[in-house]
Amino acid sequence: MDSTTTSIFVFGIYLIFVGAGFLLIPNILLPLFRFPKTDEPWIRVMAILVLIIAYFYIVAAHHNVTPIYWATVYEE
């Protein structure tokens, strides 16, 4: 694995932790980001979307999909 693939893979793992945290214990994590505690479902919907993106990143890193790497970098 080269450094770019490793970076994409590690970011996917990070997103898994963030998504799972907001899915399972959102009212503990929300104050850390200065958001009020909530019982609304939007936070769990956002967590599911983050988990889907995490899966996308991990699969892209596993299969070395280099166009995805270029899509994640801002270039003028």
Side-chain angles (χ1 to χ4, degrees), residues 20-75:
F22 278 114
L23 184 65
L24 301 173
I25 52 171
N27 285 329
I28 293 173
L29 296 179
L30 282 172
L32 296 174
F33 296 101
R34 297 183 185 204
F35 286 105
K37 293 182 178 183
T38 184
D39 291 328
E40 297 178 12
W42 67 267
I43 193 69
R44 289 190 169 86
V45 172
M46 185 270 314
I48 295 294
L49 293 174
V50 169
L51 288 171
I52 291 169
I53 293 170
Y55 173 76
F56 181 72
Y57 271 66
I58 290 172
V59 170
H62 180 71
H63 293 289
N64 201 20
V65 182
T66 55
I68 300 302
Y69 303 167
W70 286 108
T72 62
V73 178
Y74 175 74
E75 185 176 349

